[in-house]
Amino acid sequence: MSEQTQEAGSAQPWRVVVAGAGMAGVQTAVALREKGFTGSVLLVGAEPHQPYDRPPLSKAVLLGKSEGSAFDVDFEALGIELRLGCEVTGLRPGDRELDTEDGPVPYDVLVVATGAEPIRLPGAEGVPGVHLLRTLDDAERLRPVLARQHDIVVVGAGWIGAEFANARAARAGCAVTVVKAAERPLAGALPAEVAAPMADWYADAGAELRTHARVERVEPGAVLLDDGTRLPSGAVVVGIGARPATAWLSGSGVELGAHGEVVADEHLRTTAPDVYAVGDCASFPSGRYDDRLLVHHWDNALQGPRTVALNIVGRASGEPPAVYDPVPYFWSEQFGRFVQYAGHHAAADTTLWRGDPAGPAWTVCWLRDDRLVALLAVGRPRDLAQGRRLIESGTPMNPTLLADPARPLKAATA
Ligand SMILES: Cc1cc2nc3c(=O)[nH]c(=O)nc-3n(C[C@H](O)[C@H](O)[C@H](O)COP(=O)(O)OP(=O)(O)OC[C@H]3O[C@@H](n4cnc5c(N)ncnc54)[C@H](O)[C@@H]3O)c2cc1C
C-alpha cells in the first residue's frame, strides 16, 4: 500500500484503478464514492467518448430519437479521474502495474471492467458495408445506413440483431432480411418452444427471417449463403454475439475461462492479488444456481460493481467480504414488445406457460422442485417484478395457480 495512505491516516487503499470505462467501470467508480472511499480513483477507457450507456444504441440512438447516451455522472465532483482514449495493453500483478498506450499505471487495487467485444464474421472484415453494433461510433455509422432505402441483411437473430431489424423494419419501404444459422431465433438463450412464437414477430414487423441459413461469404453488395442463395445487401449488420475483451490479460497470470472471461470468485476477486473483475468480462460462481455464470446484461454491470466497491472499502477495515449472487435480469425491446427475463434456467427445469404465446402478453416460468428459478415475461412487467422477488426468496409455488395468467404471480404460492 502506498505511502499516501498512511499519510492520510486512512486504512483505505490509496489508488484504485478501473480498466474499462463502460457501465461496470463507471458504476464501480461511483459506488466506491457512495460507499465512502476516500482514496484516488482512476478510470481508464479505450474509447475517446465521455462514458456512455449501451442499451440505447440499438434503440433510441439508432432511431435518431436521442443523440447520445452519456452517463449523467459528474466525475469531477466525485473526484474520479478519467483517462479516455487510452487502451490498456497488459497487467503485471507482481509490480502492481497496468500497461497502457500512455505508459505504465500503478495501482493498489485494480478492477477489470473491459466488457465484451462483438464476435466478427469470418471473412467479412474489411468488406465495405459490413457493420457491427457495440459502440457509439458503430451506432453513428449505422444511423445513415438505416435511413437509406436499400436492402439490409442482419446476420444473427439474437437480441440485438432483432432490435436492429425492428428499427429497420419500422421504416416504411425498407427491406430487412435476418439470417440465422440455427433453426430458430435466440437458439442459444431460449428453448425451442419459447423461441418459436418469437419467430412470427419478424414477419409481423415486415422483416424476413431465414433460419438454417449459414453465411458462406460476404462480398460487396451481397451475402452468399451455403445453399447457394445470393442476398443483395446494401449493408450487412453482424450481430452474432460478444466475447469478453480480455486479450490484454494474456500472460498476466489472471485466470481466464473457456470463453476468455476472467474467472472471478464469489467476491468478484480474480486469481491475482488485489485485482477484481466485473461486468461482461467476468464470470462468477452462483451459489443460488449452483453454476458459474457469465452474464452479458446491463443489470449485472450495475449490481456487480456495488459488491466490488463494498469489498474494496470493507477489506481495508477488515470486514468479511460480500458475496455476489444475484438473480440475473435483462430486458429487450423486440418488435414493439417489452421482453424481460429474470433468473437462470436449465434444460431439466419444468416449463410452465401463463397466457397464450400467440397473444400480445404472456409469461413463461421455469420451476425446480416447485420453486421459481427463472421467468420470461412478454409485455407483463408485473409478472417480472413479482417473479423476481419470488425467485430471490425461493418461495414454493403452486403450479396450477401459477398457470392462470389472471392471477397475480405473488398469489400463486403454495
Ligand atoms: C447495442 C447494445 C444494446 C444492448 N441492450 C441491452 C438491453 O436492452 N438490455 C440489457 O440488459 N443489456 C443490453 N446490452 C448489454 C449491456 O449494455 C452490457 O451488458 C453492458 O454494457 C456491460 O457493461 P460493461 O461495462 O461490463 O462492458 P462494456 O459496456 O463493454 O464496457 C467496457 C468498456 O471497456 C473498454 N475497453 C475494452 N477493452 C479495453 C482496454 N484494453 N483498455 C481500455 N478500455 C477497454 C471498452 O471500450 C468499453 O467502453 C446491450 C449491449 C449493446 C452493445
Side-chain angles (χ1 to χ4, degrees):
M1 208 137 292
S2 54
E3 243 175 73
Q4 282 87 339
T5 309
Q6 279 116 48
E7 271 175 25
S10 156
Q12 291 178 351
W14 177 70
R15 176 177 247 222
V16 176
V17 175
V18 183
M23 177 71 183
V26 167
Q27 290 301 325
T28 300
V30 170
L32 278 166
R33 290 297 183 231
E34 281 171 359
K35 302 207 181 305
F37 180 75
T38 54
S40 87
V41 179
L42 170 67
L43 199 52
V44 186
E47 293 177 70
H49 309 289
Q50 197 63 11
Y52 62 88
D53 208 10
R54 277 175 219 283
L57 299 185
S58 51
K59 307 172 183 77
V61 174
L62 192 64
L63 285 166
K65 292 182 182 161
S66 158
E67 267 313 305
S69 55
F71 292 117
D72 185 16
V73 173
D74 188 340
F75 293 100
E76 206 181 328
L78 289 170
I80 297 167
E81 188 190 341
L82 291 181
R83 198 170 296 172
L84 302 173
C86 175
E87 190 175 338
V88 174
T89 53
L91 167 65
R92 285 172 288 113
D95 301 329
R96 286 181 186 253
E97 270 188 348
L98 204 57
D99 288 317
T100 77
E101 287 183 312
D102 299 346
V105 174
Y107 64 83
D108 292 312
V109 173
L110 173 69
V111 181
V112 176
T114 44
E117 54 201 7
I119 296 173
R120 284 151 205 274
L121 191 63
E125 223 158 323
V127 177
V130 176
H131 297 262
L132 298 164
L133 181 46
R134 179 81 197 177
T135 65
L136 183 57
D137 289 342
D138 292 337
E140 279 173 358
R141 274 190 291 266
L142 270 170
R143 240 181 0 198
V145 169
L146 195 73
R148 264 182 250 137
Q149 302 281 312
H150 54 191
D151 299 333
I152 294 186
V153 174
V154 177
V155 181
W159 300 111
I160 291 176
E163 285 187 356
F164 179 86
N166 180 42
R168 173 65 176 173
R171 293 179 179 260
C174 296
V176 59
T177 306
V178 182
V179 297
K180 173 85 181 165
E183 81 283 6
R184 59 177 191 275
L186 295 164
L190 296 173
E193 57 178 322
V194 179
M198 296 178 171
D200 298 336
W201 297 353
Y202 287 76
D204 294 348
E208 187 190 352
L209 173 67
R210 296 178 78 120
T211 53
H212 299 286
R214 197 169 286 277
V215 175
E216 176 86 23
R217 202 168 69 247
V218 178
E219 55 187 41
V223 172
L224 289 102
L225 304 181
D226 67 353
D227 65 358
T229 309
R230 191 171 192 279
L231 300 172
S233 58
V236 179
V237 179
V238 178
I240 52 176
R243 63 163 70 97
T246 55
W248 63 277
L249 283 166
S250 75
S252 68
V254 169
E255 186 185 346
L256 301 181
H259 304 280
E261 84 282 10
V262 179
V263 176
D265 71 6
E266 69 272 33
H267 310 299
L268 297 180
R269 293 179 304 206
T270 72
T271 48
D274 300 321
V275 180
Y276 293 79
V278 69
D280 278 14
C281 69
S283 68
F284 55 90
S286 167
R288 183 187 298 279
Y289 291 107
D290 194 20
D291 204 352
R292 177 164 279 277
L293 303 184
L294 173 59
V295 178
H296 279 190
H297 297 302
W298 187 90
D299 191 63
N300 179 55
L302 171 72
Q303 308 292 346
R306 294 178 179 159
T307 302
V308 170
L310 203 60
N311 288 343
I312 292 172
V313 173
R315 198 184 65 128
S317 54
E319 282 168 36
V323 170
Y324 186 58
D325 198 3
V327 171
Y329 165 73
F330 79 89
W331 80 96
S332 178
E333 289 168 22
Q334 300 277 297
F335 303 103
R337 295 162 182 84
F338 189 42
V339 178
Q340 297 166 286
Y341 177 94
H344 174 70
H345 70 270
D349 296 326
T350 306
T351 309
L352 197 146
W353 291 82
R354 280 169 64 77
D356 178 3
W362 45 272
T363 295
V364 179
C365 299
W366 284 272
L367 296 168
R368 199 176 298 168
D369 301 331
D370 283 351
R371 278 161 223 270
L372 202 56
V373 289
L375 82 164
L376 176 89
V378 176
R380 291 181 65 104
R382 200 164 291 162
D383 271 5
L384 193 287
Q386 294 178 11
R388 199 174 176 181
R389 282 195 287 274
L390 289 163
I391 296 170
E392 251 152 19
S393 62
T395 309
M397 305 299 296
N398 178 324
T400 311
L401 301 181
L402 196 60
D404 175 7
R407 177 181 295 269
L409 247 157
K410 63 182 178 188
T413 55

